[in-house]
Amino acid sequence: MSRMKDLQKNLFGGTTSNARQFGMISTLVAIVALFQIWTGGLTLTSGNLIAVVSQYSYILILAIGMLMVIVAGHIDLSVGSVAAFTGIVVAKAMQEYSLPWPLGIALGLLVGVAIGAWQGFWVAYIGVPAFIVTLAGMLLFRGGNQYIGNADTVPVPEGFREIGAGFLPEAGPDTGYNNLTLLLGAAACAGVVWREWRARRTRREMSADVAPVWVTAVRLAVMIGVILFATLRFAGGRIGTSLPISGIILIALVLAYSHYTRNTIGGRHIYAVGGNARAAELSGVKLRRVNFLVMLNMSVLAALAGMIFVARSAASGPQDGLSWELDAIAAVFIGGAAVSGGLGTVSGSIVGGLVMALLNNGLQLEGVGSDMVQIIKGLVLLLAVAFDVYNKSQGRFSVIERLMRPFRRDEPAPPVEPSAPASDPGKAPVAG
């Protein structure tokens, strides 16, 4: 039994970053396998995987920002309206004022900064609950979108569309695959191997337990196998398609925000505020600054997501962004974030977003109507979270708890029960 527990810890519950990645990839593989069987092999075709990334990358970008908001103990209901408002502002500026599309992107990000600063000010410095501020923002910016666009669609120029509908270009000799996607996959494999080697070296230097070499080899084989499979699928699409530009933007954001939340003081402060805001403030955390920045960051990512969607759609319209905030919130909670704040990871939120994306995609491939898709997605969200909460309350195995445990930065040491002095057995022991 002890050996089985050690094996399980090494493969799934270790504290290295590769063990965390292995657990997440295993979850995704199980979900993909389910729909691969159900759809008769359509889920893992190159065309479908490319379409999933193109169609849902903006929701995953929103999930990254929503994670930080929820971890800090807030909620943002305005992200869909902010995305729609940014899209119409940028589209109008490029259409009516001939603004070059690179400047249009910069303008969109500035709009996101301004909106985030506005909402962050009310939340952080005035003390209005984020729920109320963003509910007002949802109404305000949805109305702004319809007012500026006059409830009409506004097309965007060809160059701007690349960020939402573009792919890695063809380069190099004709190999039957997109060579740049192959290079990106090779770089990802090298990065996984390097991180595993660095983690093992660090644990040796700290005289900590190191997993057996064969366990490390199994983890690497699984992770590299998944990466290579995905690389070949994205690189082997029809001519002119490959890994979408929006997917590259998403990958860059996941890497950057994962590093920030795990390895920087600012990231630690967000978790501290969500865990216990008063204690964090007494410890020197600038509470108002943290709350302001998480709201600012959310609006910037919403602006980016809105521009990616408009670029893919080739036009901005009055129906853009509807219910996006619900999809982002669902992704974060399915990915393991705590409703009360203080717990959650970027990787978990991406997994949650992919669960919703693959569920939606798989049901559409089976010809299920949009009404039933919404019903099923709602039930999946409710049952997944309710089942996990129930198991935790009963002290049983918890899926979310199990997924989140490797991501916790500090595991508490097992309590040591001091024994009472022999001369005074009735005296209660006092912990030092």
Side-chain angles (χ1 to χ4, degrees):
M1 181 65 69
S2 177
R3 290 182 179 180
M4 288 299 296
K5 288 183 177 180
D6 290 340
L7 176 60
Q8 183 184 22
K9 179 179 179 181
N10 286 328
L11 284 175
F12 305 105
T15 57
T16 64
S17 59
N18 285 316
R20 303 165 186 169
Q21 293 178 13
F22 183 85
M24 288 296 178
I25 291 175
S26 298
T27 303
L28 283 179
V29 168
I31 295 170
V32 170
L34 174 64
F35 284 104
Q36 176 72 355
I37 296 172
W38 191 19
T39 60
L42 296 178
T43 298
L44 290 179
T45 59
S46 295
N48 188 63
L49 290 178
I50 292 172
V52 167
V53 173
S54 297
Q55 292 173 8
Y56 298 101
S57 57
Y58 58 90
I59 296 297
L60 299 179
I61 291 174
L62 289 177
I64 295 173
M66 190 65 73
L67 167 76
M68 301 177 71
V69 172
I70 290 176
V71 165
H74 305 296
I75 202 76
D76 193 332
L77 300 177
S78 68
V79 294
S81 298
V82 171
F85 179 79
T86 302
I88 195 65
V89 168
V90 171
K92 276 284 188 179
M94 290 187 295
Q95 182 193 59
E96 297 186 359
Y97 300 99
S98 301
L99 187 70
W101 67 264
L103 294 181
I105 295 175
L107 173 62
L109 295 176
L110 288 176
V111 170
V113 169
I115 294 174
W118 164 259
Q119 298 194 138
F121 169 77
W122 287 100
V123 173
Y125 295 100
I126 303 301
V128 181
F131 178 87
I132 301 299
V133 172
T134 57
L135 179 60
M138 180 176 67
L139 301 174
L140 175 65
F141 299 113
R142 175 61 59 185
N145 167 270
Q146 295 176 354
Y147 176 79
I148 294 175
N150 197 25
D152 198 5
T153 58
V154 180
V156 293
E158 190 71 30
F160 182 81
R161 299 177 191 177
E162 287 298 310
I163 65 172
F167 302 92
L168 282 178
E170 302 290 338
D174 184 9
T175 60
Y177 293 93
N178 180 272
N179 293 325
L180 294 181
T181 303
L182 293 178
L183 289 177
L184 189 60
C189 292
V192 166
V193 173
W194 177 76
R195 288 190 57 165
E196 179 68 24
W197 172 80
R198 188 182 66 170
R200 290 181 63 87
R201 185 186 65 176
T202 301
R203 294 184 67 82
R204 285 198 187 96
E205 292 174 351
M206 297 175 62
S207 298
D209 293 335
V210 180
V213 174
W214 72 267
V215 173
T216 299
V218 170
R219 281 204 302 261
L220 285 176
V222 172
M223 288 187 289
I224 291 176
V226 171
I227 293 173
L228 290 177
F229 178 83
T231 298
L232 292 176
R233 288 298 185 182
F234 283 108
R238 60 182 176 82
I239 300 299
T241 65
S242 59
L243 182 63
I245 299 299
S246 58
I248 297 175
I249 296 173
L250 174 63
I251 292 172
L253 291 174
V254 168
L255 294 176
Y257 279 91
S258 294
H259 174 77
Y260 178 78
T261 54
R262 294 179 186 174
N263 303 316
T264 68
I265 295 176
R268 291 173 180 262
H269 285 179
I270 295 173
Y271 285 88
V273 168
N276 190 321
R278 180 59 178 165
E281 190 173 24
L282 292 175
S283 300
V285 176
K286 296 180 180 179
L287 183 60
R288 291 181 174 179
R289 179 180 180 184
V290 171
N291 289 331
F292 178 83
L293 289 179
V294 295
M295 301 303 295
L296 175 67
N297 176 76
M298 180 71 262
S299 292
V300 172
L301 290 181
L304 176 60
M307 288 188 289
I308 289 175
F309 179 81
V310 168
R312 182 176 180 273
S313 304
S316 175
Q319 301 302 313
D320 295 351
L322 290 178
S323 300
W324 287 9
E325 56 277 350
L326 304 182
D327 288 334
I329 292 170
V332 173
F333 285 139
I334 289 177
V339 178
S340 57
L343 184 65
T345 65
V346 172
S347 298
S349 297
I350 295 301
V351 168
L354 288 176
V355 168
M356 299 298 285
L358 290 170
L359 177 64
N360 196 71
N361 175 258
L363 293 173
Q364 288 179 348
L365 290 177
E366 283 296 299
V368 178
S370 60
D371 50 353
M372 289 302 301
V373 169
Q374 296 299 321
I375 293 173
I376 294 173
K377 286 168 62 177
L379 290 175
V380 167
L381 171 62
L382 178 62
L383 294 176
V385 177
F387 180 75
D388 193 76
V389 170
Y390 174 76
N391 278 341
K392 282 190 287 187
S393 68
Q394 299 296 315
R396 300 173 182 171
F397 177 81
S398 164
V399 177
I400 294 178
E401 179 75 12
R402 186 62 182 149
L403 287 177
M404 296 306 303
R405 188 178 302 165
F407 286 82
R408 294 178 180 173
R409 305 193 62 88
D410 298 308
E411 289 287 347
V416 178
E417 298 181 359
S419 58
S423 59
D424 191 4
K427 185 178 180 181
V430 179

